[in-house]
Amino acid sequence: SRPCLQILRFRCILNSGEEEIFNNDCEYAAKKRKKQHFGNDTAAHSFYREKWIYVHKESTKERHGYCTLGEAFNRLDFSSAIQDIRRFTYVVKLLQLIAKSQLTSLSGVAQKNYFNILDKIVQKVLDDHQNPRLIKDLLQDLSSTLCILVRGVGKSVLVGNINIWICRLETVLNWQEKLQNLQMTKQVNTGLTLSDLPLHMLNNILYRFSDGWDIVTLGQVTPTLYMLSEDRRLWKRLCQYHFAEKQFCRHLILSEKGHIEWKLMYFTLQKYYPTKEQYGDTLHFCRHCSILFWKDSGHPCTAADPDSCFTPVSPEHFIDLFKF
């Protein structure tokens, strides 16, 4: 298979002597991860009971040192956040942004935390079969970045041994293969199903989606849902929600009868412009306390009117907070 060929190609980079070192390093790294896995989880849960962190970029008389991305992973408890369906997409998007542009800036501790969280996400998807497309996209971006880093070794500064990075690439390719072979098991339900709902309720469900791919996927469940998912008004509303009028006027697609093909428009515009992100729960930043926290968890704010100091933090903004 393609992943196996990629692994063999990268192993050919090493000569026979280096191959032995690579295998030993990978074996040692795997044993070390297993040994520290439980210890890391226990330490994080027992020490960091409050899920917030000061975001300060320099030392002051009151606070010594500065916070790092690796520390934020622990203090904000991303490992538990992925179990919350409201936070899952947010964390995945954040990890995807790191995979695209911030991977080489991670410290050794941050790398370990990053791949530990990613491992838990992959195992969760393999177990509950939810959101596989999101994780496939994340792993695709991560494997592409790792391939570039390994091929261009010496051109960029890598924290850690090159053999460890190759080992991580092999792990990611293995995850991709498992997700590619993932088979959705058919649920046996004796109660009410989607097919039993009236048309207006099914239509209402479709209109609540903000991702076109989710609409396409749901439309594959039954012929009725497919018919509803092809509604031009549904795709027109989705285009108007995500894109400005000037944007879709530049990429106007008309049918033979002169009607606007809103569905094709949506997927075309998606290639040129970013879509609006929707998350059930996000991190928030308190401007008064300089604290980053999950809104539901809160933090010890000293402001007279705390709510006026809170700002939602997008995944992009989160990355910017730690660029120093």
Side-chain angles (χ1 to χ4, degrees):
S1 63
R2 186 177 178 182
C4 293
L5 290 174
Q6 286 181 293
I7 294 170
L8 290 173
R9 190 179 299 118
F10 282 107
R11 283 187 170 177
C12 287
I13 297 173
L14 309 172
N15 57 33
S16 59
E18 290 174 323
E19 179 81 16
E20 184 179 353
I21 295 173
F22 167 74
N23 291 332
N24 291 337
D25 283 350
C26 282
E27 185 179 355
Y28 172 75
K31 288 181 179 179
K32 189 174 180 181
R33 281 196 300 271
K34 289 180 180 178
K35 183 178 179 181
Q36 293 179 342
H37 182 72
F38 177 76
N40 288 339
D41 287 349
T42 304
H45 287 295
S46 61
F47 188 76
Y48 303 121
R49 297 186 185 279
E50 296 180 320
K51 300 177 177 60
W52 51 265
I53 185 173
Y54 286 109
V55 180
H56 48 104
K57 300 186 177 183
E58 58 185 10
S59 297
T60 65
K61 292 181 179 179
E62 294 79 15
R63 301 168 192 161
H64 297 284
Y66 54 87
C67 59
T68 64
L69 199 54
E71 186 182 1
F73 283 153
N74 276 341
R75 292 294 297 269
L76 297 171
D77 198 12
F78 280 11
S79 294
S80 297
I82 62 173
Q83 303 301 329
D84 188 331
I85 191 171
R86 300 168 303 163
R87 299 175 179 175
F88 182 85
T89 306
Y90 182 89
V91 175
V92 170
K93 179 64 175 179
L94 179 57
L95 296 184
Q96 188 171 18
L97 289 175
I98 293 174
K100 287 181 177 180
S101 62
Q102 300 297 312
L103 204 57
T104 55
S105 66
L106 296 181
S107 67
V109 173
Q111 289 175 28
K112 183 173 66 175
N113 291 338
Y114 180 91
F115 282 95
N116 281 342
I117 294 169
L118 191 54
D119 179 51
K120 291 180 180 180
I121 289 176
V122 173
Q123 295 309 317
K124 180 180 183 299
V125 173
L126 291 174
D127 291 338
D128 62 22
H129 296 180
Q130 294 183 16
N131 299 300
R133 179 172 56 82
L134 287 177
I135 312 308
K136 287 179 180 179
D137 291 343
L138 164 58
L139 294 180
Q140 182 59 45
D141 288 335
L142 181 57
S143 63
S144 298
T145 301
L146 288 173
C147 285
I148 293 172
L149 292 176
V150 172
R151 288 171 180 168
V153 61
K155 297 180 181 178
S156 60
V157 178
L158 294 179
V159 178
N161 191 290
I162 180 60
N163 294 325
I164 300 300
W165 285 95
I166 296 175
C167 186
R168 285 171 178 157
L169 174 59
E170 184 173 352
T171 300
V172 171
L173 294 174
N174 184 42
W175 286 338
Q176 286 181 299
E177 189 172 1
K178 287 181 178 180
L179 288 172
Q180 193 65 34
N181 297 329
L182 182 64
Q183 297 292 328
M184 299 295 182
T185 55
K186 188 174 182 180
Q187 304 262 344
V188 179
N189 294 318
T190 56
L192 193 68
T193 65
L194 276 174
S195 302
D196 301 317
L197 296 177
L199 286 179
H200 74 275
M201 291 187 69
L202 292 174
N203 208 39
N204 190 29
I205 291 172
L206 284 166
Y207 269 84
R208 291 181 182 272
F209 283 114
S210 61
D211 188 327
W213 283 111
D214 289 336
I215 294 175
V216 171
T217 302
L218 187 59
Q220 295 172 350
V221 176
T222 66
T224 301
L225 284 169
Y226 175 76
M227 176 193 69
L228 294 174
S229 70
E230 292 295 311
D231 183 10
R232 291 180 62 253
R233 290 170 298 178
L234 173 65
W235 291 99
K236 177 181 179 180
R237 183 170 175 175
L238 200 62
C239 284
Q240 291 174 334
Y241 171 75
H242 285 289
F243 310 107
E245 186 176 350
K246 289 182 179 180
Q247 292 175 335
F248 56 72
C249 282
R250 293 173 187 167
H251 302 276
L252 204 60
I253 301 176
L254 300 176
S255 66
E256 294 180 356
K257 296 181 180 181
H259 299 303
I260 298 176
E261 296 283 1
W262 290 106
K263 183 178 178 180
L264 291 176
M265 285 270 294
Y266 171 81
F267 289 107
T268 301
L269 290 168
Q270 202 178 35
K271 298 176 182 178
Y272 297 99
Y273 310 104
T275 55
K276 291 182 180 178
E277 301 286 352
Q278 276 193 340
Y279 305 103
D281 191 17
T282 67
L283 288 169
H284 279 63
F285 182 72
C286 178
R287 297 186 301 275
H288 176 78
C289 306
S290 295
I291 285 179
L292 194 62
F293 64 98
W294 291 107
K295 187 176 181 181
D296 285 355
S297 305
H299 77 287
C301 187
T302 58
D305 183 12
D307 290 342
S308 65
C309 304
F310 298 167
T311 304
V313 177
S314 67
E316 291 81 4
H317 185 200
F318 180 93
I319 297 294
D320 291 338
L321 287 173
F322 293 92
K323 280 185 178 179
F324 54 89

